[in-house]
Amino acid sequence: PNPFSDHLFISFRLPADDFVRIEVLDITGRMVYSSAWKTRAEETREIWWNEISHVQHRYGSGIYLLRLRTSFQVITTKVIRE
């Protein structure tokens, strides 16, 4: 959901096998989360990002950038943390 509070749910499906990287950046461009793996064609991937399990401190409310990178595309979208 957007806006989100402590958890961000990310779901996607790719048309072909590929390596994928998910990144969450704060508004200054500092990376606060990154994960990468290989996915299969037409496989739906679902990720729950819980900021508490990935960082030593909590990030505040505000605008974050969610970036999905593959070998053929980069998609960036804005998400809001309440």
Side-chain angles (χ1 to χ4, degrees), residues 13-50:
R13 180 186 297 194
L14 300 178
D17 291 1
D18 205 348
F19 285 96
V20 175
R21 175 174 292 279
I22 295 285
E23 302 168 345
V24 179
L25 301 95
D26 68 15
I27 197 63
T28 67
R30 181 177 49 165
M31 191 172 311
V32 298
Y33 173 76
S34 178
S35 184
W37 58 92
K38 183 172 174 79
T39 62
R40 296 178 183 260
E42 300 301 323
E43 173 186 32
T44 298
R45 294 293 298 222
E46 297 177 342
I47 301 149
W48 280 97
W49 174 57
N50 175 353

Side-chain angles (χ1 to χ4, degrees), residues 19 29 33-34 42 45 48 55-56 60 65 73 75 80-81:
F19 285 96
Y33 173 76
S34 178
E42 300 301 323
R45 294 293 298 222
W48 280 97
V55 295
Q56 296 299 316
L65 301 174
Q73 182 173 25
I75 299 170
I80 301 170
R81 182 175 189 275

Side-chain angles (χ1 to χ4, degrees), residues 51-67:
E51 68 171 303
I52 303 204
S53 65
H54 296 287
V55 295
Q56 296 299 316
H57 63 282
R58 296 177 67 97
Y59 287 92
S61 299
I63 298 170
Y64 290 83
L65 301 174
L66 171 63
R67 184 174 294 149

